[in-house]
């Protein structure tokens, strides 16, 4: 349906349609009956880009992410950024066909690029490539929630596949608190609803706890590389949510390790098969 204003272009009525009440949307939202500290169904492909040494593709539920690591490049001596530690540059882009407004995409890309850099810098042995810069690129193909934590997981795998020295394998997960309801691995609907409720006017004097937490950790050294929080959450609640997120990280680590070990086994098998063929050819 549209309205015509003389010779001016037509304007779609739907653009100005009032949004639904976020509280009513929450009431209709599917809520988990039990708290399950498990990752979503995960698909991981190592070496997804053939012409790049370090790359990975990850599906975390309906969220799809591609990551690639460029080889370290030497920084010019005239550059004042040279030092004893390598420089990490991270860029996150949404696919051109992403169904979001350009302003929202720009804000998300900017925030996620900075957040990804903060999460990955403590993981990479930057002293191994002093005066070099390492560029990490991420493409968000589909965002159904947990996009940042999925990007961190995917980049961690790409770093290992690319032979970049790291202290440990990084894993990350997202936990959300909305109207006293915890959501492990929240979907995009839950994340958007959280922002809607956060922006709504509170009539009560007491502010209700709400927020989203993304935790990235290294299990071998027992270190949290970065913890991102948005919203109003009390310290004791924050501690509980972080513990839940770390539990999901540990289970995600088992999945990633399994994929990487199988990748190495296949590589060794191919090398052995190639060596056997060369031996047979030389004997004949």
């Amino acid at each position: 349906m549209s309205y015509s204003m003389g010779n001016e272009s037509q304007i779609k009525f739907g653009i100005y349609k009032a949004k639904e009440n976020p509280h009513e949307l929450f009431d209709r939202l599917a809520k988990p009956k039990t708290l399950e500290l498990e990752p979503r169904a995960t698909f991981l492909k190592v070496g997804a880009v053939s012409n790049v040494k370090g790359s990975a593709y990850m599906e975390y539920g309906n969220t799809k992410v591609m990551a690639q690591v460029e080889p370290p490049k030497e920084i010019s001596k005239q550059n004042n950024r040279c030092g004893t530690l390598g420089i990490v540059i991270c860029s996150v882009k949404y696919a051109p066909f992403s169904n979001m407004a350009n302003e929202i995409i720009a804000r998300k890309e900017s925030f996620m690029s900075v957040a990804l850099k903060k999460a990955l810098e403590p993981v990479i042995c930057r002293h191994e490539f002093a005066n070099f810069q390492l560029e990490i690129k991420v493409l968000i193909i589909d965002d159904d929630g947990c996009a940042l934590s999925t990007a961190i997981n995917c980049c961690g795998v790409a770093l290992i596949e690319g032979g970049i020295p790291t202290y440990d394998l990084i894993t990350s997960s997202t936990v959300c608190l909305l109207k006293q309801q915890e959501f492990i691995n929240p979907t995009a609907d839950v994340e958007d609803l959280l922002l809607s409720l956060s922006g709504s006017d509170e009539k009560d004097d007491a502010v209700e706890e709400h927020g989203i937490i993304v935790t990235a950790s290294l299990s071998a050294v027992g270190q949290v590389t970065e913890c991102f929080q948005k919203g109003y959450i009390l310290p004791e609640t924050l501690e509980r949510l972080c513990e839940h997120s770390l539990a999901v990280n540990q289970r995600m680590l088992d999945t990633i390790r399994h994929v990487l070990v199988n990748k190495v086994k296949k590589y060794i098998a191919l090398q052995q098969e190639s060596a056997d063929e060369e031996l047979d050819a030389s004997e004949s």
Side-chain angles (χ1 to χ4, degrees):
M1 180 178 180
S2 60
Y3 290 106
S4 178
M5 298 181 295
N7 295 327
E8 297 179 6
S9 60
Q10 293 183 341
I11 300 178
K12 292 183 178 180
F13 176 78
I15 297 178
Y16 300 100
K17 186 177 180 179
K19 294 183 178 180
E20 294 186 72
N21 189 321
H23 297 281
E24 295 178 359
L25 290 176
F26 177 81
D27 293 336
R28 298 201 304 267
L29 192 67
K31 306 172 187 62
K33 296 180 180 179
T34 58
L35 189 64
E36 297 182 0
L37 304 180
E38 295 289 343
R40 290 180 183 173
T42 305
F43 172 80
L44 178 60
K45 179 177 177 57
V46 185
V49 183
S50 58
N51 60 343
V52 178
K53 185 179 179 181
S55 63
Y57 169 75
M58 188 172 189
E59 293 183 3
Y60 194 62
N62 293 326
T63 298
K64 303 174 179 64
V65 175
M66 179 86 73
Q68 68 179 53
V69 179
E70 301 290 338
K73 299 179 181 179
E74 187 175 5
I75 303 174
S76 173
K77 294 182 179 179
Q78 298 178 354
N79 195 325
N80 295 328
R81 298 176 68 181
C82 294
T84 57
L85 296 177
I87 297 174
V88 178
I89 300 176
C90 296
S91 61
V92 178
K93 296 293 182 182
Y94 273 78
F97 48 80
S98 184
N99 187 22
M100 283 189 293
N102 292 334
E103 293 181 359
I104 297 176
I105 290 178
R107 288 198 302 269
K108 282 193 171 186
E109 289 177 346
S110 178
F111 163 74
M112 291 176 66
S113 297
V114 175
L116 187 65
K117 175 182 172 69
K118 289 183 178 180
L120 295 179
E121 274 188 338
V123 184
I124 302 171
C125 302
R126 294 191 291 152
H127 62 279
E128 294 286 346
F129 51 97
N131 298 328
F132 282 76
Q133 71 176 24
L134 182 68
E135 187 173 1
I136 303 172
K137 300 178 181 179
V138 172
L139 177 65
I140 308 294
I141 302 173
D142 196 359
D143 183 358
D144 187 31
C146 305
L148 176 57
S149 56
T150 304
I152 294 173
N153 290 327
C154 195
C155 287
V157 175
L159 288 170
I160 298 298
E161 204 266 338
I164 304 300
T166 59
Y167 294 104
D168 193 9
L169 184 59
I170 187 172
T171 52
S172 179
S173 61
T174 305
V175 178
C176 174
L177 179 66
L178 186 58
K179 297 181 76 65
Q180 300 182 353
Q181 176 74 51
E182 291 187 29
F183 294 88
I184 308 298
N185 307 311
T187 62
D189 290 337
V190 176
E191 293 181 357
D192 293 341
L193 185 57
L194 171 67
L195 297 178
S196 300
L197 290 174
S198 299
S200 62
D201 295 329
E202 295 287 347
K203 297 182 180 180
D204 299 332
D205 294 334
V207 180
E208 190 176 42
E209 286 186 278
H210 61 272
I212 188 169
I213 296 174
V214 180
T215 307
S217 61
L218 308 175
S219 62
V221 295
Q223 176 183 351
V224 174
T225 63
E226 195 65 34
C227 182
F228 306 97
Q229 173 198 346
K230 184 172 184 178
Y232 170 71
I233 302 178
L234 295 176
E236 54 271 19
T237 306
L238 177 62
E239 182 179 359
R240 184 181 75 252
L241 295 179
C242 285
E243 290 178 355
H244 293 168
S245 182
L246 291 175
V248 178
N249 289 358
Q250 184 61 42
R251 289 164 174 76
M252 174 59 65
L253 181 63
D254 297 335
T255 301
I256 295 177
R257 278 177 175 169
H258 177 74
V259 174
L260 290 174
V261 168
N262 284 343
K263 174 75 174 181
V264 174
K265 288 181 178 179
K266 289 181 180 179
Y267 176 78
I268 294 175
L270 289 175
Q271 292 292 101
Q272 185 63 42
E273 183 179 349
S274 177
D276 292 341
E277 290 178 355
E278 291 180 1
L279 180 61
D280 294 340
S282 60
E283 290 179 351
S284 59

